[in-house]
Amino acid sequence: MDLLKEMADAFILLIRVGAVLRVVHCFIHIGIDEDQSSSYKKRMKNTVIFYVLAESIWQIKDLVMSYYM
């Protein structure tokens, strides 16, 4: 059970770091190529939405697990 918890913690850490790096990447590209700024703003918005959904799902999973255990 501890291995499963460690893997889950690593997975959520990977999601957090990946989302932050994706937003930073988009900010850099907005600074470089202003013609494509609307495209990168949309990508940043989608990344933030993904992050919020992933965190929400993770919290719901924790609530359900704590309720039944």
Side-chain angles (χ1 to χ4, degrees), residues 53-67:
L53 286 175
E55 284 290 330
S56 298
I57 291 170
W58 206 257
Q59 294 303 318
I60 290 170
K61 185 221 42 119
D62 286 342
L63 286 172
V64 169
M65 294 299 285
S66 67
Y67 180 75

Side-chain angles (χ1 to χ4, degrees), residues 16 35 41 47:
R16 290 175 180 161
D35 295 335
K41 286 179 184 177
T47 302

